[in-house]
Amino acid sequence: MGRARLVHSLIYSSSRSFMDLKALLSSLNDFASLSFAESWDNVGLLVEPSPPHTVNTLFLTNDLTEEVMEEALQKKADLILSYHPPIFRPMKRITWKTWKERLVIRALENRVGIYSPHTAYDAAPQGVNNWLAKGLGVCTSRPIHPSKAPDYPTEGTHRVEFSVTHTQDLDKVISALKEIAGVSVTSFSARTDDEEQTRLSLNCTQQALMQVVAFLSQNRQFYQKTEILSLEKPLLLYTGMGRLCTLDESVSLETMIERIKSHLKLSHVRLALGIGKTLESPVKVVTLCAGSGSSVLQGTDADLYLTGEMSHHDVLDAASQGISVILCEHSNTERGFLSDLRDMLDAHLENKINIILSETDRDPLHVI
């Protein structure tokens, strides 16, 4: 009977054993679009074994060090999801000389892919910053810097609208404009000064706009009443960098410190008291940013800043405004999210692959 159970277990395991790499990447992008990442970031698939490549085991880590790579290989990982991109600056050669080059070599030799979401997961509604906010207590939160919708409302950066002076010129004007790359043209009827007119509406890219304006300036007899509008993509309410969190009920700074330490499983954090503040001072509004948060938190109005690291002078600036600062070390504000991520990806991927957490990944800094 024991042998029968073992065989059944092996059959069940193999039935949920793999996904094609491309299909998995598509599903990961559906979970949290890479379009939400910051423009300076290096996200997505960083190392790809020669296709076809199937993934049985997805290995999650915050940082991909050589020690973590060794663990991933021992656990037969097919794809490593490293929150921080191990490849950031361009590499001019792949040799055994530096540790990041060795990571690439070992990955390719063992047919292991490397994928990094980084700031896409920072911005995501179900991402790192939302997880960090869970440690504060009951609160409402919104992004400090909301993301813009990637593909809405339309293609192009500008809209040009004008009325065609004479109906007989309409086809000629439309035909000429459609020859410009990056322009889409629609027409509609409009009444102006009790006169029925045909108006053209053009959505166009920045480059095409210059050509449209040049065409109109050379053919003034064809049009009148021109408007040029800049198309702004709408902001997303729950997606973006950092979080501004308003607690339902104020708590003392001391209580907030204990909540944060408990959530992050830390015995110590670093604290800078705002000018005029004590451990008994009330905390109602917290702005936070996982990792290195200076650029995101700067200028926000809050009782407390929470992040992994800030420069000495940025801490002084915050404290001078009466804002207390808690620093937890960079990756300590991120790593705990991976447990939640594993559960969310299990559900999102319908348990099709094995998802495991690194046991050797840790922040490089320790308090001694």
Side-chain angles (χ1 to χ4, degrees):
M1 181 62 72
R3 182 176 178 80
R5 283 201 190 97
L6 177 60
V7 171
H8 179 269
S9 174
L10 290 172
I11 292 173
Y12 173 75
S13 177
S14 65
S15 70
R16 63 188 289 268
S17 62
F18 67 88
M19 289 182 69
D20 176 73
L21 177 61
K22 290 184 178 179
L24 176 55
L25 294 177
S26 178
S27 292
L28 289 175
N29 197 63
D30 290 340
F31 173 76
S33 174
L34 294 177
S35 65
F36 296 139
E38 295 289 276
S39 59
W40 49 261
D41 208 355
N42 190 33
V43 296
L45 186 63
L46 305 184
V47 174
E48 180 182 9
S50 57
H53 186 63
T54 55
V55 178
N56 174 25
T57 297
L58 175 63
F59 181 90
L60 308 182
T61 184
N62 202 77
D63 293 294
L64 183 55
T65 62
E66 290 190 278
E67 183 182 11
V68 172
M69 173 62 82
E70 185 62 38
E71 179 193 4
L73 296 180
Q74 288 177 1
K75 294 180 177 177
K76 308 297 183 185
D78 303 295
L79 179 67
I80 297 171
L81 188 155
S82 176
Y83 167 75
H84 285 137
I87 303 173
F88 194 79
R89 296 182 180 88
M91 291 182 171
K92 293 186 176 181
R93 58 185 60 82
I94 304 296
T95 70
W96 204 248
K97 187 174 182 180
T98 68
W99 70 277
K100 290 195 173 183
E101 292 173 47
R102 291 194 292 270
L103 288 178
V104 175
I105 293 170
R106 297 207 70 193
L108 290 174
E109 285 181 342
N110 291 276
R111 294 193 54 77
V112 178
I114 301 175
Y115 174 91
S116 177
H118 200 203
T119 52
Y121 278 13
D122 288 348
Q126 74 283 30
V128 180
N129 284 306
N130 262 36
W131 167 81
L132 187 56
K134 289 180 181 179
L136 304 180
V138 181
C139 64
T140 57
S141 68
R142 62 175 176 81
I144 296 171
H145 300 296
S147 300
K148 292 183 178 181
D151 300 312
Y152 184 86
T154 184
E155 294 297 322
T157 59
H158 291 80
R159 177 172 294 159
V160 181
E161 290 189 1
F162 58 90
S163 297
V164 177
T165 308
H166 304 292
T167 305
Q168 63 268 27
D169 296 326
L170 183 61
D171 289 342
K172 181 178 180 180
V173 173
I174 291 176
S175 178
L177 291 171
K178 283 187 173 179
E179 291 181 1
I180 300 175
V183 174
S184 61
V185 184
T186 57
S187 62
F188 60 95
S189 297
R191 180 171 289 277
T192 306
D193 299 328
D194 293 328
E195 180 183 353
E196 195 75 23
Q197 292 186 329
T198 298
R199 282 186 70 78
L200 294 185
S201 177
L202 285 60
N203 286 341
C204 51
T205 62
Q206 181 74 47
Q207 184 176 2
L209 175 64
M210 300 298 101
Q211 298 179 61
V212 168
V213 171
F215 169 80
L216 294 177
S217 64
Q218 295 166 13
N219 297 275
R220 296 179 183 275
Q221 71 276 16
F222 290 147
Y223 70 95
Q224 59 184 349
K225 298 175 181 175
T226 303
E227 294 179 312
I228 300 179
L229 308 173
S230 176
L231 298 178
E232 288 291 333
K233 295 174 180 177
L235 300 178
L236 300 174
L237 291 178
Y238 305 108
T239 305
M241 294 300 158
R243 292 295 182 269
L244 189 153
C245 308
T246 304
L247 297 170
D248 286 10
E249 295 183 10
S250 298
V251 298
S252 70
L253 176 58
E254 185 174 30
T255 297
M256 182 55 68
I257 291 170
E258 292 307 313
R259 287 182 180 180
I260 290 168
K261 287 162 67 175
S262 175
H263 185 56
L264 301 183
K265 298 179 173 60
L266 297 175
S267 57
H268 298 83
V269 296
R270 291 192 286 167
L271 170 68
L273 282 171
I275 297 298
K277 300 299 172 67
T278 70
L279 290 177
E280 296 306 314
S281 296
V283 173
K284 178 71 172 179
V285 178
V286 180
T287 51
L288 60 83
C289 179
S292 181
S294 290
S295 61
V296 175
L297 301 179
Q298 198 168 38
T300 59
D301 186 14
D303 302 307
L304 174 67
Y305 286 174
L306 170 61
T307 187
E309 59 180 334
M310 288 176 68
S311 76
H312 173 78
H313 296 287
D314 287 339
V315 172
L316 289 178
D317 285 343
S320 73
Q321 300 170 58
I323 301 170
S324 297
V325 178
I326 293 178
L327 304 180
C328 308
E329 306 308 343
H330 190 112
S331 68
N332 287 337
T333 56
E334 304 160 336
R335 185 170 288 100
F337 167 70
L338 295 180
S339 294
D340 281 15
L341 177 64
R342 176 183 55 192
D343 295 340
M344 289 187 287
L345 288 181
D346 262 334
H348 181 71
L349 301 174
E350 301 174 336
N351 297 302
K352 292 177 182 176
I353 60 174
N354 302 311
I355 303 176
I356 57 178
L357 289 180
S358 172
E359 297 177 14
T360 56
D361 174 43
R362 60 180 62 88
D363 195 276
L365 293 172
H366 302 274
V367 177
I368 58 173

